[in-house]
Amino acid sequence: MSTPAISKTRQLRNMLQSNQLEFIMEAHNGISARIVEEAGFKGIWGSGLALSAQFGVRDNNEASWTQVVEMLEFMSDVTDIPILLDGDTGYGNFNNMRRLVRKLEQRDIAGVCIEDKLFPKTNSFISGERQPLADMDEFSGKIKAGKDSQLDDDFNIVARIEALIAGWDVREALRRAEAYHEAGADAILIHSKMSKPDEILEFCQEWANRAPVVIVPTKYYSTPTDVFRKADISLVIWANHMIRTAVAAMQATANEVFENQTLVVVEDKIASVNELFRLQGADELVQAEKRYFNPDRDRTKAIILAASRGRALESLTRDKPKVMLPINGKPLLRHMADEFKKQGINDITVVAGYKADAIDVQGVKKVLNPDHETTGELQSLICAQDNFTDDILLTYGDLLFRTYILQDLLDVPGDLVMVVDSANSDTRFTGSPDYTWCSEEDDRSLLGADVDLKAIADCYDDQGPPPSGRWIGMLHIRARGMEWIKQALEELQQHEDYRQIGIPHLLEHLVKQGKPVKVHYIHGHWMDVNALEDLDRAGDFTK
């Protein structure tokens, strides 16, 4: 949406004062408003009936005026054309009217139409009701209050006359129109529920265009539009046709899907998901994300080491690796990928091995470790070297974790930053532990403490210092850290046993070389999936 050269209030005023017949179309939410604008209409009618219907309530002021104004704000935000609100009776007395005008101006609504019925109002077309009218002087005072309250001189107040609806004659309608015009109304809406426009045309002839006339030809819809032109009518409102179209289409779709129990019968008849995205402005958000949403984060890529079978899971991994085990209906790998994408990490590579063909998660690339049965994690990392960049998130493939852990890790400075759980409760884990000893213990009262890894091992001597925590299998690697890792991989490949070396050995090698491996402490809120007993916990964890 662009900024209009002419204010929305002025656009509506120009339509009311135009020397040609103008048209506005009903809309009831943001997406219908955008459709109305794209169709070519120069204005939008915020219909009370349609707005009530989209809330699922009656057109009897059952939706509060604040709910209506909130919806109007969405409609105004996505369009450049003016909105004229069907403001019912003004939602109360003169004081309510004053507040309504101020709130509409704040949301860039171009005008409001109020009708001379009693509050709470009843829809004009509900049959069997002879509806009372507001006192003419009281209603005139309401118009004056609205005009006195507006800050924008171009804000428009339209007075809707219900005399013909209520069974009065044209003479009464004219009497009221004159009073409301004198009170400051910018236009007069004359309404009728007859199937022919005779009353309307008689009114227009007598009124002689003393002020712009607005009509709503819902009942006399078959009248040729040229008749309205010849009667010097300024504005025609197509009042409720978007909501009625939507209802008919939704009913048809719901019935067809229910009866046929398949989407095949409707998919080609309805708007595509991409069209929905377009109307929602998805493309603009993509561009905005590139500009505003942490450009550095967008460069981060993920490498997931997931070549092993997970033998402790027994028959569950007979035909798939453990990263494809379903957890609450989604593969474990999907849960991980979703967490990465929340942080803007969309380039995800998984190093596969066992039953690699079974790995099928949208948005995740695969590379293969063909020697997965005889090699360790280091070899899997070497297989992913073509995907190395200067910003990599390296993780094991069996992790579940709370969103904040990854979010915080990505913000921690350092060339190599590992996540260490200081909770040290071995009963929570079933896999091989990676114990860590760090330069400082976890002082949970200090945030962002500068802590370095001193050692890492899969066991420890009870006689020695206890570990500071356990590495969870998550490492953030930035540019200089990646250079260190590439050099270390070359050096470690000279070892006879390098094919069985794991990532902890790599980290230990870097520490011995004096490379700073920073520690980001957490305290629980993660788990790894290694054994059958983990699956129930994983299900609870991901609920």
Side-chain angles (χ1 to χ4, degrees):
M1 191 187 75
S2 60
T3 302
I6 305 175
S7 71
K8 292 180 179 179
T9 52
R10 171 48 65 175
Q11 289 180 59
L12 179 58
R13 177 149 301 207
N14 288 345
M15 294 176 72
L16 291 172
Q17 297 176 347
S18 172
N19 58 7
Q20 63 183 17
L21 185 61
E22 303 284 359
F23 304 90
I24 63 175
M25 170 64 86
E26 170 264 316
H28 46 276
N29 55 27
I31 204 161
S32 62
R34 179 164 277 168
I35 289 169
V36 166
E37 181 176 37
E38 288 187 355
F41 284 97
K42 294 160 63 176
I44 294 168
W45 173 243
S47 161
L49 170 61
L51 287 165
S52 298
Q54 63 88 32
F55 284 120
V57 298
R58 291 174 287 259
D59 186 21
N60 291 71
N61 294 124
E62 291 184 3
S64 70
W65 72 270
T66 57
Q67 290 173 313
V68 170
V69 170
E70 183 178 20
M71 182 58 73
L72 287 174
E73 184 172 9
F74 282 102
M75 295 164 62
S76 181
D77 284 348
V78 298
T79 52
D80 290 329
I81 58 177
I83 299 173
L84 175 61
L85 169 64
D86 176 6
D88 295 339
T89 63
Y91 305 108
N93 65 12
F94 76 93
N95 193 43
N96 301 95
M97 181 65 179
R98 293 193 300 180
R99 183 166 175 78
L100 174 65
V101 168
R102 290 195 294 268
K103 293 305 176 183
L104 292 178
E105 284 191 311
Q106 290 169 9
R107 288 155 179 81
D108 205 14
I109 306 304
V112 61
C113 176
I114 59 171
E115 58 194 75
D116 55 355
K117 287 197 297 197
L118 300 180
F119 178 85
K121 71 87 159 262
T122 300
N123 185 277
S124 300
F125 292 149
I126 294 179
S127 60
E129 299 219 15
R130 184 180 180 88
Q131 299 167 14
L133 298 181
D135 177 80
M136 188 171 66
D137 291 336
E138 184 272 337
F139 190 76
S140 296
K142 194 180 296 187
I143 294 171
K144 290 177 182 177
K147 296 304 293 182
D148 287 346
S149 300
Q150 67 187 62
L151 300 178
D152 183 347
D153 289 340
D154 287 329
F155 184 84
N156 300 274
I157 294 181
V158 177
R160 171 168 154 173
I161 297 170
E162 294 284 292
L164 303 180
I165 295 286
W168 295 81
D169 58 15
V170 171
R171 186 184 301 271
E172 176 66 15
L174 288 165
R175 192 171 72 91
R176 288 175 173 267
E178 187 59 49
Y180 303 158
H181 177 45
E182 182 67 24
D186 299 292
I188 300 297
L189 191 158
I190 183 66
H191 209 16
S192 172
K193 57 183 177 182
M194 290 181 61
S195 60
K196 293 183 179 182
D198 297 1
E199 290 180 320
I200 299 296
L201 298 177
E202 182 183 353
F203 174 90
C204 290
Q205 184 176 7
E206 295 293 333
W207 180 246
N209 208 20
R210 279 172 271 173
V213 173
V214 181
I215 63 169
V216 186
T218 302
K219 288 293 186 178
Y220 47 98
Y221 62 87
S222 63
T223 304
T225 304
D226 275 346
V227 171
F228 305 145
R229 288 191 176 95
K230 292 175 181 177
D232 285 332
I233 289 167
S234 296
L235 184 68
V236 171
I237 297 174
W238 310 123
N240 47 48
H241 297 80
M242 293 290 283
I243 188 71
R244 287 162 58 192
T245 299
V247 168
M250 289 189 289
Q251 287 173 331
T253 297
N255 290 336
E256 283 198 76
V257 174
F258 180 79
E259 291 173 6
N260 294 284
Q261 298 184 349
T262 176
L263 297 176
V264 173
V265 295
V266 301
E267 188 62 35
D268 293 339
K269 304 176 186 177
I270 60 178
S272 67
V273 175
N274 285 337
E275 174 63 2
L276 200 60
F277 289 159
R278 186 190 69 79
L279 289 168
Q280 291 174 302
D283 289 344
E284 188 278 334
L285 179 59
V286 170
Q287 297 304 315
E289 284 180 340
K290 290 179 179 178
R291 183 174 182 181
Y292 303 119
F293 184 67
N294 197 342
D296 293 333
R297 182 70 49 83
D298 192 48
R299 293 201 304 267
T300 306
K301 298 183 178 181
I303 295 176
I304 303 172
L305 304 181
S308 64
R309 169 180 174 174
R311 292 188 179 278
L313 291 156
E314 301 175 7
S315 62
L316 294 179
T317 56
R318 183 175 294 120
D319 60 350
K320 65 175 75 71
K322 67 177 176 179
V323 291
M324 291 304 294
L325 287 178
I327 309 292
N328 279 336
K330 291 197 302 187
L332 173 57
L333 181 59
R334 176 77 273 163
H335 284 282
M336 294 185 67
D338 287 348
E339 290 296 336
F340 297 156
K341 289 178 182 294
K342 286 180 186 178
Q343 305 307 319
I345 302 174
N346 298 304
D347 191 321
I348 304 169
T349 299
V350 59
V351 182
Y354 175 77
K355 299 292 183 183
D357 291 343
I359 295 180
D360 182 17
V361 171
Q362 187 175 11
V364 175
K365 300 180 294 185
K366 283 189 292 186
V367 298
L368 186 64
N369 177 2
D371 301 320
H372 62 91
E373 292 185 355
T374 58
T375 60
E377 297 155 356
L378 197 70
Q379 182 60 32
S380 287
L381 183 58
I382 291 170
C383 290
Q385 280 189 109
D386 288 346
N387 296 276
F388 286 1
T389 68
D390 60 0
D391 197 331
I392 289 291
L393 175 70
L394 178 66
T395 72
Y396 289 159
D398 57 3
L399 292 183
L400 293 171
F401 50 88
R402 299 298 180 216
T403 298
Y404 81 89
I405 293 177
L406 176 55
Q407 181 177 330
D408 291 350
L409 169 64
L410 295 172
D411 289 334
V412 174
D415 300 300
L416 292 170
V417 186
M418 64 190 303
V419 179
V420 172
D421 181 10
S422 63
N424 266 334
S425 176
D426 290 345
T427 58
R428 295 184 296 118
F429 309 115
T430 54
S432 176
D434 294 319
Y435 297 112
T436 60
W437 289 260
C438 306
S439 61
E440 301 286 343
E441 298 302 306
D442 183 16
D443 183 346
R444 298 180 65 194
S445 65
L446 295 177
L447 298 178
D450 188 17
V451 181
D452 291 320
L453 177 68
K454 293 300 183 183
I456 183 169
D458 60 4
C459 61
Y460 66 95
D461 185 349
D462 288 341
Q463 303 304 312
S468 306
R470 173 183 173 177
W471 181 46
I472 75 170
M474 184 180 289
L475 179 69
H476 189 200
I477 309 166
R478 293 189 174 93
R480 192 165 62 150
M482 181 53 73
E483 294 305 314
W484 298 340
I485 283 180
K486 288 178 181 177
Q487 182 63 35
L489 290 177
E490 291 182 8
E491 294 167 356
L492 290 171
Q493 285 182 75
Q494 307 306 314
H495 293 205
E496 292 184 1
D497 62 346
Y498 93 89
R499 293 174 67 83
Q500 280 73 48
I501 289 176
I503 301 301
H505 193 123
L506 170 64
L507 294 172
E508 182 77 7
H509 179 82
L510 291 169
V511 168
K512 288 179 178 179
Q513 289 186 331
K515 301 294 190 295
V517 179
K518 297 297 180 181
V519 170
H520 172 59
Y521 277 124
I522 62 171
H523 200 78
H525 300 157
W526 72 284
M527 65 172 292
D528 46 11
V529 180
N530 290 295
L532 292 174
E533 56 264 40
D534 293 331
L535 294 179
D536 285 341
R537 291 196 305 118
D540 293 337
F541 189 92
T542 56
K543 284 182 179 177

PDB file of all heavy atoms in Angstrom, residues 38 48 100 115 117 152 209 218 280 293 336 361 379 385 389 403 424 433 479-480 508 513 523:
ATOM      1  N   GLU A  38      -8.790  -3.454  -5.453  1.00  0.00           N
ATOM      2  CA  GLU A  38      -8.198  -4.020  -6.659  1.00  0.00           C
ATOM      3  C   GLU A  38      -9.206  -4.107  -7.800  1.00  0.00           C
ATOM      4  O   GLU A  38      -8.831  -4.054  -8.976  1.00  0.00           O
ATOM      5  CB  GLU A  38      -7.615  -5.402  -6.366  1.00  0.00           C
ATOM      6  CG  GLU A  38      -6.345  -5.354  -5.539  1.00  0.00           C
ATOM      7  CD  GLU A  38      -5.681  -6.710  -5.406  1.00  0.00           C
ATOM      8  OE1 GLU A  38      -6.269  -7.716  -5.879  1.00  0.00           O
ATOM      9  OE2 GLU A  38      -4.571  -6.778  -4.861  1.00  0.00           O
ATOM     10  N   GLY A  48     -22.704  -1.925   8.285  1.00  0.00           N
ATOM     11  CA  GLY A  48     -23.018  -2.438   9.616  1.00  0.00           C
ATOM     12  C   GLY A  48     -23.497  -3.868   9.572  1.00  0.00           C
ATOM     13  O   GLY A  48     -23.146  -4.693  10.421  1.00  0.00           O
ATOM     14  N   LEU A 100     -16.754   8.880  18.699  1.00  0.00           N
ATOM     15  CA  LEU A 100     -16.662   8.052  17.493  1.00  0.00           C
ATOM     16  C   LEU A 100     -15.903   8.785  16.386  1.00  0.00           C
ATOM     17  O   LEU A 100     -15.021   8.215  15.744  1.00  0.00           O
ATOM     18  CB  LEU A 100     -18.063   7.675  17.015  1.00  0.00           C
ATOM     19  CG  LEU A 100     -18.135   6.921  15.685  1.00  0.00           C
ATOM     20  CD1 LEU A 100     -17.468   5.558  15.795  1.00  0.00           C
ATOM     21  CD2 LEU A 100     -19.581   6.779  15.228  1.00  0.00           C
ATOM     22  N   GLU A 115     -27.835   7.113  11.080  1.00  0.00           N
ATOM     23  CA  GLU A 115     -29.250   7.049  10.703  1.00  0.00           C
ATOM     24  C   GLU A 115     -30.136   7.518  11.851  1.00  0.00           C
ATOM     25  O   GLU A 115     -29.804   7.336  13.030  1.00  0.00           O
ATOM     26  CB  GLU A 115     -29.607   5.630  10.294  1.00  0.00           C
ATOM     27  CG  GLU A 115     -29.356   4.580  11.358  1.00  0.00           C
ATOM     28  CD  GLU A 115     -29.398   3.163  10.804  1.00  0.00           C
ATOM     29  OE1 GLU A 115     -28.434   2.766  10.125  1.00  0.00           O
ATOM     30  OE2 GLU A 115     -30.398   2.468  11.077  1.00  0.00           O
ATOM     31  N   LYS A 117     -32.555   6.623  13.648  1.00  0.00           N
ATOM     32  CA  LYS A 117     -33.370   5.658  14.400  1.00  0.00           C
ATOM     33  C   LYS A 117     -32.905   5.655  15.841  1.00  0.00           C
ATOM     34  O   LYS A 117     -31.915   6.309  16.198  1.00  0.00           O
ATOM     35  CB  LYS A 117     -33.234   4.258  13.780  1.00  0.00           C
ATOM     36  CG  LYS A 117     -33.971   4.144  12.452  1.00  0.00           C
ATOM     37  CD  LYS A 117     -34.207   2.700  12.030  1.00  0.00           C
ATOM     38  CE  LYS A 117     -32.914   1.947  11.801  1.00  0.00           C
ATOM     39  NZ  LYS A 117     -33.132   0.701  11.019  1.00  0.00           N
ATOM     40  N   ASP A 152     -10.155  17.155  11.037  1.00  0.00           N
ATOM     41  CA  ASP A 152      -9.936  17.260   9.596  1.00  0.00           C
ATOM     42  C   ASP A 152     -11.176  17.900   8.972  1.00  0.00           C
ATOM     43  O   ASP A 152     -12.278  17.352   9.054  1.00  0.00           O
ATOM     44  CB  ASP A 152      -9.690  15.863   9.021  1.00  0.00           C
ATOM     45  CG  ASP A 152      -9.383  15.866   7.530  1.00  0.00           C
ATOM     46  OD1 ASP A 152      -9.595  16.905   6.866  1.00  0.00           O
ATOM     47  OD2 ASP A 152      -8.940  14.816   7.032  1.00  0.00           O
ATOM     48  N   ASN A 209     -31.082  18.639  -5.322  1.00  0.00           N
ATOM     49  CA  ASN A 209     -29.619  18.620  -5.179  1.00  0.00           C
ATOM     50  C   ASN A 209     -29.095  19.721  -4.257  1.00  0.00           C
ATOM     51  O   ASN A 209     -28.022  20.285  -4.474  1.00  0.00           O
ATOM     52  CB  ASN A 209     -28.949  18.743  -6.564  1.00  0.00           C
ATOM     53  CG  ASN A 209     -27.581  18.063  -6.592  1.00  0.00           C
ATOM     54  OD1 ASN A 209     -27.287  17.221  -5.762  1.00  0.00           O
ATOM     55  ND2 ASN A 209     -26.755  18.441  -7.549  1.00  0.00           N
ATOM     56  N   THR A 218     -30.351  -1.691  -2.693  1.00  0.00           N
ATOM     57  CA  THR A 218     -30.363  -3.131  -2.437  1.00  0.00           C
ATOM     58  C   THR A 218     -31.693  -3.759  -2.843  1.00  0.00           C
ATOM     59  O   THR A 218     -31.726  -4.855  -3.404  1.00  0.00           O
ATOM     60  CB  THR A 218     -30.082  -3.404  -0.945  1.00  0.00           C
ATOM     61  OG1 THR A 218     -28.821  -2.830  -0.601  1.00  0.00           O
ATOM     62  CG2 THR A 218     -30.056  -4.899  -0.670  1.00  0.00           C
ATOM     63  N   GLN A 280      -2.606 -10.928   1.270  1.00  0.00           N
ATOM     64  CA  GLN A 280      -2.117 -10.620   2.613  1.00  0.00           C
ATOM     65  C   GLN A 280      -0.832  -9.800   2.591  1.00  0.00           C
ATOM     66  O   GLN A 280      -0.362  -9.352   3.637  1.00  0.00           O
ATOM     67  CB  GLN A 280      -1.860 -11.913   3.396  1.00  0.00           C
ATOM     68  CG  GLN A 280      -3.120 -12.677   3.749  1.00  0.00           C
ATOM     69  CD  GLN A 280      -2.797 -14.005   4.400  1.00  0.00           C
ATOM     70  OE1 GLN A 280      -2.093 -14.847   3.825  1.00  0.00           O
ATOM     71  NE2 GLN A 280      -3.296 -14.211   5.606  1.00  0.00           N
ATOM     72  N   PHE A 293      15.036  -7.678   9.436  1.00  0.00           N
ATOM     73  CA  PHE A 293      15.060  -8.788  10.390  1.00  0.00           C
ATOM     74  C   PHE A 293      16.455  -9.399  10.484  1.00  0.00           C
ATOM     75  O   PHE A 293      16.753 -10.413   9.892  1.00  0.00           O
ATOM     76  CB  PHE A 293      14.043  -9.861   9.999  1.00  0.00           C
ATOM     77  CG  PHE A 293      13.948 -10.988  11.006  1.00  0.00           C
ATOM     78  CD1 PHE A 293      13.452 -10.758  12.267  1.00  0.00           C
ATOM     79  CD2 PHE A 293      14.372 -12.269  10.689  1.00  0.00           C
ATOM     80  CE1 PHE A 293      13.358 -11.786  13.196  1.00  0.00           C
ATOM     81  CE2 PHE A 293      14.279 -13.303  11.611  1.00  0.00           C
ATOM     82  CZ  PHE A 293      13.773 -13.051  12.866  1.00  0.00           C
ATOM     83  N   MET A 336      13.119 -29.909  14.657  1.00  0.00           N
ATOM     84  CA  MET A 336      14.362 -29.135  14.680  1.00  0.00           C
ATOM     85  C   MET A 336      14.346 -28.053  13.606  1.00  0.00           C
ATOM     86  O   MET A 336      14.673 -26.891  13.864  1.00  0.00           O
ATOM     87  CB  MET A 336      15.561 -30.068  14.470  1.00  0.00           C
ATOM     88  CG  MET A 336      15.779 -31.061  15.578  1.00  0.00           C
ATOM     89  SD  MET A 336      17.289 -32.025  15.333  1.00  0.00           S
ATOM     90  CE  MET A 336      18.547 -30.780  15.520  1.00  0.00           C
ATOM     91  N   VAL A 361      12.053 -34.222   4.558  1.00  0.00           N
ATOM     92  CA  VAL A 361      11.499 -33.082   5.273  1.00  0.00           C
ATOM     93  C   VAL A 361      11.662 -31.863   4.378  1.00  0.00           C
ATOM     94  O   VAL A 361      12.770 -31.539   3.954  1.00  0.00           O
ATOM     95  CB  VAL A 361      12.211 -32.856   6.623  1.00  0.00           C
ATOM     96  CG1 VAL A 361      11.780 -31.534   7.247  1.00  0.00           C
ATOM     97  CG2 VAL A 361      11.900 -34.005   7.578  1.00  0.00           C
ATOM     98  N   GLN A 379      33.780 -37.553  10.475  1.00  0.00           N
ATOM     99  CA  GLN A 379      33.673 -37.866   9.061  1.00  0.00           C
ATOM    100  C   GLN A 379      32.368 -37.296   8.473  1.00  0.00           C
ATOM    101  O   GLN A 379      32.360 -36.811   7.335  1.00  0.00           O
ATOM    102  CB  GLN A 379      33.723 -39.374   8.832  1.00  0.00           C
ATOM    103  CG  GLN A 379      33.663 -39.806   7.381  1.00  0.00           C
ATOM    104  CD  GLN A 379      34.817 -39.254   6.558  1.00  0.00           C
ATOM    105  OE1 GLN A 379      35.915 -39.059   7.066  1.00  0.00           O
ATOM    106  NE2 GLN A 379      34.551 -38.987   5.283  1.00  0.00           N
ATOM    107  N   GLN A 385      31.501 -30.419   4.122  1.00  0.00           N
ATOM    108  CA  GLN A 385      32.417 -29.289   3.944  1.00  0.00           C
ATOM    109  C   GLN A 385      31.979 -28.333   2.832  1.00  0.00           C
ATOM    110  O   GLN A 385      32.231 -27.128   2.915  1.00  0.00           O
ATOM    111  CB  GLN A 385      33.837 -29.781   3.657  1.00  0.00           C
ATOM    112  CG  GLN A 385      34.589 -30.200   4.911  1.00  0.00           C
ATOM    113  CD  GLN A 385      36.049 -30.460   4.630  1.00  0.00           C
ATOM    114  OE1 GLN A 385      36.930 -29.699   5.025  1.00  0.00           O
ATOM    115  NE2 GLN A 385      36.314 -31.562   3.957  1.00  0.00           N
ATOM    116  N   THR A 389      30.207 -22.210   5.634  1.00  0.00           N
ATOM    117  CA  THR A 389      30.253 -20.764   5.397  1.00  0.00           C
ATOM    118  C   THR A 389      30.845 -20.128   6.644  1.00  0.00           C
ATOM    119  O   THR A 389      31.323 -20.831   7.546  1.00  0.00           O
ATOM    120  CB  THR A 389      28.842 -20.194   5.147  1.00  0.00           C
ATOM    121  OG1 THR A 389      28.074 -20.265   6.356  1.00  0.00           O
ATOM    122  CG2 THR A 389      28.135 -20.951   4.032  1.00  0.00           C
ATOM    123  N   THR A 403      12.697 -22.772  22.348  1.00  0.00           N
ATOM    124  CA  THR A 403      13.079 -21.770  21.355  1.00  0.00           C
ATOM    125  C   THR A 403      14.136 -20.806  21.870  1.00  0.00           C
ATOM    126  O   THR A 403      15.065 -20.434  21.149  1.00  0.00           O
ATOM    127  CB  THR A 403      11.831 -20.990  20.914  1.00  0.00           C
ATOM    128  OG1 THR A 403      10.906 -21.885  20.292  1.00  0.00           O
ATOM    129  CG2 THR A 403      12.181 -19.877  19.944  1.00  0.00           C
ATOM    130  N   ASN A 424      23.200 -30.746  35.210  1.00  0.00           N
ATOM    131  CA  ASN A 424      23.969 -31.914  35.646  1.00  0.00           C
ATOM    132  C   ASN A 424      23.124 -33.000  36.281  1.00  0.00           C
ATOM    133  O   ASN A 424      23.540 -33.646  37.239  1.00  0.00           O
ATOM    134  CB  ASN A 424      25.061 -31.509  36.642  1.00  0.00           C
ATOM    135  CG  ASN A 424      26.393 -31.271  35.940  1.00  0.00           C
ATOM    136  OD1 ASN A 424      26.631 -31.835  34.874  1.00  0.00           O
ATOM    137  ND2 ASN A 424      27.237 -30.458  36.532  1.00  0.00           N
ATOM    138  N   PRO A 433      27.131 -39.073  27.620  1.00  0.00           N
ATOM    139  CA  PRO A 433      27.274 -37.675  28.032  1.00  0.00           C
ATOM    140  C   PRO A 433      28.568 -37.064  27.499  1.00  0.00           C
ATOM    141  O   PRO A 433      29.577 -37.742  27.338  1.00  0.00           O
ATOM    142  CB  PRO A 433      27.293 -37.761  29.560  1.00  0.00           C
ATOM    143  CG  PRO A 433      27.876 -39.118  29.840  1.00  0.00           C
ATOM    144  CD  PRO A 433      27.391 -40.006  28.734  1.00  0.00           C
ATOM    145  N   ALA A 479      33.068 -16.861  11.450  1.00  0.00           N
ATOM    146  CA  ALA A 479      34.094 -16.897  10.400  1.00  0.00           C
ATOM    147  C   ALA A 479      35.446 -17.427  10.884  1.00  0.00           C
ATOM    148  O   ALA A 479      35.978 -18.400  10.327  1.00  0.00           O
ATOM    149  CB  ALA A 479      34.257 -15.502   9.809  1.00  0.00           C
ATOM    150  N   ARG A 480      36.032 -16.809  11.914  1.00  0.00           N
ATOM    151  CA  ARG A 480      37.353 -17.232  12.361  1.00  0.00           C
ATOM    152  C   ARG A 480      37.282 -18.640  12.946  1.00  0.00           C
ATOM    153  O   ARG A 480      38.199 -19.455  12.738  1.00  0.00           O
ATOM    154  CB  ARG A 480      37.913 -16.241  13.386  1.00  0.00           C
ATOM    155  CG  ARG A 480      39.384 -16.459  13.685  1.00  0.00           C
ATOM    156  CD  ARG A 480      39.997 -15.276  14.391  1.00  0.00           C
ATOM    157  NE  ARG A 480      39.358 -15.034  15.685  1.00  0.00           N
ATOM    158  CZ  ARG A 480      39.998 -14.502  16.734  1.00  0.00           C
ATOM    159  NH1 ARG A 480      41.276 -14.159  16.626  1.00  0.00           N
ATOM    160  NH2 ARG A 480      39.366 -14.287  17.863  1.00  0.00           N
ATOM    161  N   GLU A 508      38.050 -30.599  21.883  1.00  0.00           N
ATOM    162  CA  GLU A 508      39.192 -30.779  22.783  1.00  0.00           C
ATOM    163  C   GLU A 508      40.490 -30.403  22.067  1.00  0.00           C
ATOM    164  O   GLU A 508      41.381 -29.763  22.644  1.00  0.00           O
ATOM    165  CB  GLU A 508      39.242 -32.235  23.256  1.00  0.00           C
ATOM    166  CG  GLU A 508      40.362 -32.544  24.234  1.00  0.00           C
ATOM    167  CD  GLU A 508      40.092 -32.061  25.650  1.00  0.00           C
ATOM    168  OE1 GLU A 508      38.969 -31.596  25.925  1.00  0.00           O
ATOM    169  OE2 GLU A 508      41.018 -32.149  26.469  1.00  0.00           O
ATOM    170  N   GLN A 513      44.925 -26.321  21.483  1.00  0.00           N
ATOM    171  CA  GLN A 513      45.671 -25.387  20.642  1.00  0.00           C
ATOM    172  C   GLN A 513      45.541 -23.943  21.111  1.00  0.00           C
ATOM    173  O   GLN A 513      46.130 -23.043  20.524  1.00  0.00           O
ATOM    174  CB  GLN A 513      45.175 -25.481  19.194  1.00  0.00           C
ATOM    175  CG  GLN A 513      45.562 -26.760  18.471  1.00  0.00           C
ATOM    176  CD  GLN A 513      45.170 -26.715  17.012  1.00  0.00           C
ATOM    177  OE1 GLN A 513      44.193 -26.043  16.638  1.00  0.00           O
ATOM    178  NE2 GLN A 513      45.921 -27.424  16.177  1.00  0.00           N
ATOM    179  N   HIS A 523      20.071 -24.117  31.683  1.00  0.00           N
ATOM    180  CA  HIS A 523      19.758 -24.944  32.845  1.00  0.00           C
ATOM    181  C   HIS A 523      18.507 -25.762  32.523  1.00  0.00           C
ATOM    182  O   HIS A 523      17.383 -25.390  32.860  1.00  0.00           O
ATOM    183  CB  HIS A 523      19.532 -24.071  34.080  1.00  0.00           C
ATOM    184  CG  HIS A 523      19.678 -24.806  35.381  1.00  0.00           C
ATOM    185  ND1 HIS A 523      20.897 -25.118  35.938  1.00  0.00           N
ATOM    186  CD2 HIS A 523      18.748 -25.301  36.231  1.00  0.00           C
ATOM    187  CE1 HIS A 523      20.716 -25.767  37.070  1.00  0.00           C
ATOM    188  NE2 HIS A 523      19.400 -25.889  37.275  1.00  0.00           N
TER     189      HIS A 523
END
